[in-house]
Amino acid sequence: MSLTIATCKHKITEIEGEQVCKDCGRVLGYNEVASINDKNSHNIGMFGFSEYYFIASKMAKNLNLPQFAIQTIIQTSIKLRKKNISKKHAMLFATIYACRIHEIPRLLEDIFLELENSSGKKVRRSEKSLLRSLNKISKKINEEKFSISSLNKYHYHQAYLAKIQNVITQEAGDEYFETIRTRSHKLLRNIHTDASSSAKEAILNSTTSIMKPKIREILA
């Protein structure tokens, strides 16, 4: 007696953002990006974009990004690739875009470095250089919904705090980190240099002389 296993060839249709087989009913993937409130009820479908998922999930882990941001990165990357944007530039733009629309404070340089690390490289680029690349990509896309606005000093403030949080909490505790956060936020209102420098200055001026050298090194 032989055993025959019937394999469904999957006739795919889209139902409310899901890629579903019309014959067997299996959910093969997702087209919609989950909102923040839906992050616990959506999983990323692997159908058709495993290469994007691998890079996005690795970057998200190192940048400490939530699940819904990974979905945004994947979906945006796929859309950009259809506009003849290279995969690397698509992933870079999509990650920055995801961080902006979900209000996740991350720096351009850190995002680019993680993208390079995911491919085994360790190349650093300045913020100005990255902004030029983003502008070129934006011109190719030419869609308002994919626009990335300039960062203000409060975004930099949150991003820099995210970079130093682990060091401060490990060495001085959560309460001291909260003190730095609130004190530097108040100082930031009265500092009017460029956005990045203002945020760094506010944080450093709120840090003790013992911690300041290490914090300055991290924020360099």
Side-chain angles (χ1 to χ4, degrees):
M1 178 179 174
S2 62
L3 177 65
T4 302
I5 300 176
T7 303
C8 181
K9 294 183 179 180
H10 298 318
K11 295 179 181 178
I12 302 170
T13 187
E14 181 180 336
I15 302 175
E16 295 183 350
E18 294 180 335
Q19 294 177 347
V20 181
C21 175
K22 291 189 290 186
D23 291 339
C24 69
R26 182 181 175 186
V27 177
L28 302 169
Y30 299 90
N31 289 333
E32 297 298 323
V33 176
S35 67
I36 293 177
N37 294 330
D38 296 328
K39 66 179 180 180
N40 294 322
S41 62
H42 286 68
N43 293 314
I44 296 176
M46 293 293 291
F47 183 78
F49 44 74
S50 58
E51 60 177 324
Y52 297 96
Y53 176 76
F54 175 78
I55 298 173
S57 60
K58 188 174 181 179
M59 290 177 63
K61 180 180 179 181
N62 294 333
L63 290 168
N64 196 26
L65 303 181
Q67 183 81 358
F68 56 82
I70 300 177
Q71 291 181 293
T72 303
I73 292 168
I74 293 172
Q75 298 296 340
T76 305
S77 296
I78 292 172
K79 290 176 182 177
L80 296 181
R81 289 289 286 131
K82 292 178 180 178
K83 295 179 178 293
N84 296 320
I85 306 295
S86 70
K87 185 168 73 173
K88 179 178 178 179
H89 281 161
M91 293 295 295
L92 173 64
F93 190 96
T95 306
I96 295 168
Y97 174 75
C99 288
R100 297 291 176 82
I101 66 169
H102 293 306
E103 298 183 351
I104 304 168
R106 297 295 181 270
L107 299 170
L108 298 182
E109 305 99 302
D110 293 339
I111 292 172
F112 176 76
L113 185 60
E114 289 303 333
L115 179 59
E116 290 291 282
N117 288 340
S118 69
S119 59
K121 300 178 182 178
K122 292 187 178 180
V123 179
R124 281 191 173 273
R125 288 178 61 185
S126 67
E127 184 179 45
K128 288 183 179 179
S129 174
L130 289 170
L131 284 172
R132 285 196 295 269
S133 295
L134 290 176
N135 287 334
K136 290 179 181 178
I137 298 170
S138 297
K139 289 178 181 178
K140 286 185 178 181
I141 300 169
N142 195 27
E143 287 188 30
E144 188 176 345
K145 67 178 180 179
F146 285 132
S147 63
I148 295 179
S149 58
S150 300
L151 298 180
N152 59 37
K153 60 184 180 181
Y154 294 102
H155 184 105
Y156 277 107
H157 180 246
Q158 292 298 318
Y160 289 142
L161 285 173
K163 288 192 72 169
I164 66 175
Q165 183 173 5
N166 285 340
V167 172
I168 292 177
T169 54
Q170 287 173 9
E171 297 194 12
D174 293 333
E175 188 174 338
Y176 182 60
F177 174 77
E178 184 62 21
T179 299
I180 292 176
R181 188 189 69 78
T182 54
R183 187 182 297 169
S184 60
H185 189 271
K186 290 179 181 178
L187 287 176
L188 190 57
R189 299 171 188 170
N190 299 317
I191 301 175
H192 303 293
T193 54
D194 67 271
S196 176
S197 299
S198 295
K200 288 181 182 179
E201 183 180 342
I203 291 172
L204 289 170
N205 288 343
S206 304
T207 308
T208 62
S209 57
I210 296 175
M211 293 287 292
K212 192 171 291 185
K214 182 172 289 187
I215 300 306
R216 183 180 284 112
E217 183 181 351
I218 295 172
L219 299 181

